[in-house]
């Protein structure tokens, strides 16, 4: 049984469980975004915030204070449940 908040590594990427469920082969992290939120992709740079990814819904929207990289800069979310692209609204660009 996976509990919400548990962390899993799959194909060198890190995911967090967003909804409690019993493990099934067809419900692997990249296949079912309703159950898993990508935290760090295998291609993300270690020591840097993860790359911004378009949220699919409320289950993977960015929290207030979340930090991401996007368009060569680091951004911090200024609102809760942020689904906007950095540079549009709801984000502050951090100084280099």
């Amino acid at each position: 049984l996976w509990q919400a908040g548990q962390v899993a590594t799959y194909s060198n990427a890190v995911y967090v469980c967003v909804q409690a469920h019993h493990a099934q082969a067809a419900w692997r992290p990249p296949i079912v975004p309703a159950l898993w939120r990508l935290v760090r992709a295998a291609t993300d740079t270690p020591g840097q915030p993860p790359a911004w990814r378009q949220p699919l819904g409320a289950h993977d929207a960015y929290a207030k204070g979340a930090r991401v990289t996007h368009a060569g800069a680091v951004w911090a979310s200024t609102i809760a449940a942020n689904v906007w692209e950095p540079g549009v609204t709801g984000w502050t660009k951090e100084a280099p």
Side-chain angles (χ1 to χ4, degrees):
L1 176 67
W2 284 94
Q3 297 293 332
Q6 282 185 286
V7 176
T9 300
Y10 184 79
S11 295
N12 294 323
V14 179
Y15 296 85
V16 66
C17 179
V18 296
Q19 188 177 157
H21 64 280
H22 289 280
Q24 294 187 23
W27 291 357
R28 293 186 181 113
I31 299 170
V32 189
L35 298 176
W36 300 98
R37 179 176 52 85
L38 180 64
V39 175
R40 185 169 301 281
T43 56
D44 287 343
T45 304
Q48 290 292 316
W52 177 81
R53 290 165 187 80
Q54 179 65 59
L56 301 175
H59 66 280
D60 66 344
Y62 290 95
K64 185 175 183 176
R67 296 174 71 236
V68 298
T69 57
H70 182 66
V74 175
W75 300 81
S77 176
T78 59
I79 59 174
N82 193 346
V83 296
W84 296 95
E85 180 178 1
V88 176
T89 190
W91 296 91
T92 298
K93 188 175 183 180
E94 295 184 358

